[in-house]
Amino acid sequence: MDDITLIDLASDLGYELAMSGAETFRVEESVSRVLSAYALDAEVFAIPNYLIVTVLTKKGLPITRMRRIGSHGNDLDSVERLSALCRSFCRNTPPPQEAQRQLNDTLTNRRAYCPAVMALGNFLGAFGFCLFFGGSALDALCAGVCGLLIGLVTGILGSRRVSQFFITIAAAFFMALLAYGLGAAGICHRADAAIIGALMILVPGLLFTNAMRDIIYGDTNSGLNRVVQVFLVAAAIALGTAGAWNLSSLCWGMPVSDAAVSYSVGTQCLFAALGCVGFSILFNIHGPGTVLCTIGGALAWLVYCIAGELGCSDIVCYFWSALFASVYSETLARLRKYPAISYLVVSIFPLIPGAGVYYTMNYAVLGQMELFAQQGMHTAAIAGIMAVGILLGSTVFRIYSDWKLKKLFE
């Protein structure tokens, strides 16, 4: 009975980690380590939508548990708590029934922001990044309202189990239509900046980050699966905003935006930090982690600006900034004993090419295919070089951790 309890415990732990948004390697390693701590040989296989755990009991009998993983969440606080619980099991190995009780208590006592605070996260994320992308204070207020609309649409459609692809299309469409309407009314002078700021809420930052980390840890199937999901979300964003652009053109004429406002580097970092506060709320990060994630986002953009002042090209600036964000996240993860993903996913948000996705779509709608191809390739190059920077930072720390572990057992 203990063997059955243990495999149930481990598979439940892995399932909850996956549903909270953990990387594939973290799910597999957590399950394997818990079972190994109780002297059970285990084979664990996880992909973004499935978990299979097989153990060989002390009597030589194989037992397999399979769990179907549904839509993934963005609950990074639960990832931190479940990872800490896994480490506790490995250190103390409590009796199986006691371990199951601790897991149940952890799941029961999850922390979550109330709807009002979540709405504030939507508002701040859109507000901060609208300013970051050159919008005025009035434009940022319009972006914040658009962010609230995104939260409302995704909440209503999500509760009705609508596909995430269509939820993204609907949220992008209604948000962009509102921004263009406010622009036509003369309230929002730079609708482009308002839309881009609000679109950052829909950008699959956690999916992109997990895809890169899965690939670096050898989970190629899971990584490619997540990359495909990233492209699908990007396509949904493009379809939604393109539909709004066409409808607004018919209703109010072709949307026109004022020139972008130019801000100093320090002000840009401040706006990036403000937007990161919103995304820390949306990813359910609590306590000091919110402050550290916010600082990471501001510093990542500062590194980008410094690299630009030193004469680096745009693409190279993104590389150095992504590398810094990766090193910053891995360092904090080891100092605070928390998963690196909690810091990385927010720290890289100022680098995500939300403007590139928007303008690529805009050129396609206008039929300017040369500019569409040029902007699209540039956006893809930014995403690619960011992936290289993230992978390089994670690889260096992974090699160091393996070397340290090897020296420990020599």
Side-chain angles (χ1 to χ4, degrees), residues 187-262:
I187 300 173
C188 183
H189 299 290
R190 190 160 187 258
D192 286 359
I195 292 172
I196 294 167
L199 278 181
M200 295 295 285
I201 298 172
L202 297 174
V203 169
L206 183 59
L207 265 178
F208 175 77
T209 307
N210 280 349
M212 296 304 102
R213 290 175 65 79
D214 281 348
I215 290 172
I216 191 59
Y217 286 112
D219 298 309
T220 308
N221 289 334
S222 295
L224 293 178
N225 183 304
R226 296 185 198 274
V227 168
V228 171
Q229 293 181 58
V230 169
F231 281 117
L232 286 174
V233 173
I237 292 173
L239 288 172
T241 50
W245 192 94
N246 279 291
L247 182 57
S248 63
S249 297
L250 294 174
C251 295
W252 308 300
M254 187 171 293
V256 178
S257 293
D258 291 347
V261 181
S262 179

Side-chain angles (χ1 to χ4, degrees), residues 143-154:
V145 174
C146 291
L148 293 174
L149 180 59
I150 288 177
L152 180 64
V153 172
T154 54

Side-chain angles (χ1 to χ4, degrees), residues 82-103:
L82 291 168
S83 297
L85 186 63
C86 173
R87 290 192 295 271
S88 174
F89 290 163
C90 294
R91 286 194 306 268
N92 304 320
T93 57
Q97 289 77 14
E98 172 61 19
Q100 185 67 58
R101 186 194 63 77
Q102 291 180 23
L103 175 59

Side-chain angles (χ1 to χ4, degrees), residues 58-409:
K58 298 179 178 68
K59 295 181 179 180
L61 299 175
I63 304 176
T64 298
R65 288 288 184 270
M66 295 180 287
R67 298 294 302 268
R68 169 74 174 167
I69 300 169
S71 298
H72 298 50
N74 295 324
D75 187 357
L76 295 184
D77 185 68
S78 289
V79 173
E80 292 181 353
R81 285 170 170 253
L82 291 168
S83 297
L85 186 63
C86 173
R87 290 192 295 271
S88 174
F89 290 163
C90 294
R91 286 194 306 268
N92 304 320
T93 57
Q97 289 77 14
E98 172 61 19
Q100 185 67 58
R101 186 194 63 77
Q102 291 180 23
L103 175 59
N104 293 337
D105 288 345
T106 299
L107 297 177
T108 302
N109 297 318
R110 284 177 168 176
R111 293 186 294 183
Y113 290 110
C114 66
V117 177
M118 291 297 292
L120 177 64
N122 279 280
F123 183 88
L124 287 178
F127 181 89
F129 279 106
C130 176
L131 293 170
F132 180 76
F133 286 111
S136 65
L138 185 58
D139 298 330
L141 288 173
C142 294
V145 174
C146 291
L148 293 174
L149 180 59
I150 288 177
L152 180 64
V153 172
T154 54
I156 292 174
L157 295 182
S159 65
R160 287 162 174 75
R161 300 183 181 275
V162 178
S163 166
Q164 187 61 45
F165 182 76
F166 292 107
I167 290 176
T168 304
I169 292 177
F173 173 80
F174 288 113
M175 175 276 300
L177 189 63
L178 175 60
Y180 286 136
L182 292 172
I187 300 173
C188 183
H189 299 290
R190 190 160 187 258
D192 286 359
I195 292 172
I196 294 167
L199 278 181
M200 295 295 285
I201 298 172
L202 297 174
V203 169
L206 183 59
L207 265 178
F208 175 77
T209 307
N210 280 349
M212 296 304 102
R213 290 175 65 79
D214 281 348
I215 290 172
I216 191 59
Y217 286 112
D219 298 309
T220 308
N221 289 334
S222 295
L224 293 178
N225 183 304
R226 296 185 198 274
V227 168
V228 171
Q229 293 181 58
V230 169
F231 281 117
L232 286 174
V233 173
I237 292 173
L239 288 172
T241 50
W245 192 94
N246 279 291
L247 182 57
S248 63
S249 297
L250 294 174
C251 295
W252 308 300
M254 187 171 293
V256 178
S257 293
D258 291 347
V261 181
S262 179
Y263 295 108
S264 66
V265 171
T267 306
Q268 291 174 32
C269 292
L270 178 63
F271 292 155
L274 183 61
C276 288
V277 171
F279 283 99
S280 296
I281 294 173
L282 295 179
F283 286 114
N284 198 34
I285 299 172
H286 294 257
T290 300
V291 177
L292 294 172
C293 290
T294 300
I295 293 173
L299 292 178
W301 186 250
L302 180 62
V303 170
Y304 174 93
C305 295
I306 291 173
E309 289 295 322
L310 294 176
C312 296
S313 67
D314 185 38
I315 298 297
V316 176
C317 291
Y318 276 105
F319 167 77
W320 287 115
S321 188
L323 178 61
F324 168 81
S326 180
V327 171
Y328 176 84
S329 303
E330 296 285 352
T331 302
L332 285 180
R334 282 153 179 79
L335 291 176
R336 302 193 69 225
K337 307 301 181 184
Y338 284 165
I341 189 69
S342 299
Y343 308 103
L344 181 61
V345 70
V346 175
S347 296
I348 66 168
F349 252 92
L351 310 178
I352 291 176
V357 173
Y358 172 78
Y359 288 117
T360 300
M361 171 279 306
N362 203 30
Y363 290 137
V365 172
L366 293 172
Q368 300 174 355
M369 302 314 293
E370 184 176 346
L371 290 174
F372 163 75
Q374 181 180 349
Q375 184 67 57
M377 287 188 292
H378 185 254
T379 303
I382 291 173
I385 203 64
M386 284 177 59
V388 172
I390 292 170
L391 295 179
L392 180 59
S394 297
T395 300
V396 170
F397 274 86
R398 185 73 169 187
I399 292 172
Y400 171 75
S401 296
D402 290 345
W403 173 81
K404 189 176 180 181
L405 187 63
K406 183 179 179 181
K407 294 288 289 183
L408 183 65
F409 287 99

